[in-house]
Amino acid sequence: MVPLINSEKEVSLDILQKLDSVSGSTIVSGNQIPNIATRYIRTNVSAANGSTIVLGGLITDNKMKNNTGIPILDRIPYLGALFRSTTNNKQRTELIILMRPEVTLTKLDLYRLRQKSEDRMHFGPELDQDDCPECPKTGGEKQLTLPPPDLPAAKDLR
């Protein structure tokens, strides 16, 4: 992924997503080696700061047929159907990729974004715990310490 950001914080992305899956196997010198099937999504996307990008289209359809039965009896013409069963399974999988680019120009923006994402990712204490040390406390909260502001370097002030 290669991001380009313009002056209005719009993000242009060149995205290459790769999906590998096992597609059978080959026997080499008595060893079973899996065959790997590779598929790609390649696209260019432009999005506003904070908007969500959705990529889809990597769809896999699998069909499986399984025959079970009593040996020899399941092969008798006409009567064999009484001694066997056939199951058909279909499975459809679609990979959907969600991305949300956020542009930060200062350390303060980055700090706020990091705090917001940490708050979103934290789910609270485990079921067997009464209190979570990472959970924000209700009431009597202290002020969070902010990072130092972005200051221009001395050479830029001349």
Side-chain angles (χ1 to χ4, degrees):
M1 180 167 26
V2 179
L4 298 171
I5 303 168
N6 69 15
S7 61
E8 296 172 8
K9 293 187 178 181
E10 289 181 340
V11 180
S12 295
L13 299 167
D14 182 22
I15 300 168
L16 176 64
Q17 178 64 44
K18 177 180 162 184
L19 177 66
D20 292 330
S21 60
V22 177
S23 64
S25 61
T26 305
I27 297 177
V28 177
S29 301
N31 296 320
Q32 193 170 3
I33 309 296
N35 297 330
I36 306 297
T38 302
R39 295 180 293 153
Y40 295 95
I41 289 179
R42 182 172 190 138
T43 187
N44 293 313
V45 178
S46 291
N49 183 28
S51 63
T52 302
I53 299 168
V54 180
L55 299 176
L58 289 172
I59 300 171
T60 304
D61 286 323
N62 289 326
K63 296 178 184 176
M64 295 186 340
K65 186 175 183 179
N66 190 15
N67 295 319
T68 58
I70 300 173
I72 301 172
L73 294 178
D74 64 350
R75 292 189 217 136
I76 299 173
Y78 302 109
L79 292 176
L82 297 172
F83 301 102
R84 72 175 171 258
S85 67
T86 302
T87 56
N88 292 317
N89 292 321
K90 292 181 182 179
Q91 181 182 20
R92 179 183 171 101
T93 305
E94 181 172 1
L95 176 64
I96 297 175
I97 301 163
L98 301 171
M99 294 189 296
R100 186 168 180 242
E102 296 261 355
V103 178
T104 59
L105 300 177
T106 65
K107 288 181 184 177
L108 184 58
D109 288 343
L110 179 62
Y111 177 80
R112 287 180 179 154
L113 179 63
R114 186 177 297 141
Q115 285 298 114
K116 189 167 77 172
S117 91
E118 285 176 2
D119 290 346
R120 240 185 285 150
M121 299 286 186
H122 184 70
F123 297 109
E126 296 295 326
L127 294 175
D128 59 346
Q129 295 177 346
D130 290 336
D131 188 30
C132 176
E134 296 174 9
C135 290
K137 306 294 182 214
T138 55
E141 292 182 16
K142 63 178 184 178
Q143 181 69 27
L144 295 174
T145 56
L146 297 175
D150 291 329
L151 298 175
K155 65 178 183 171
D156 295 334
L157 295 175
R158 292 183 200 154

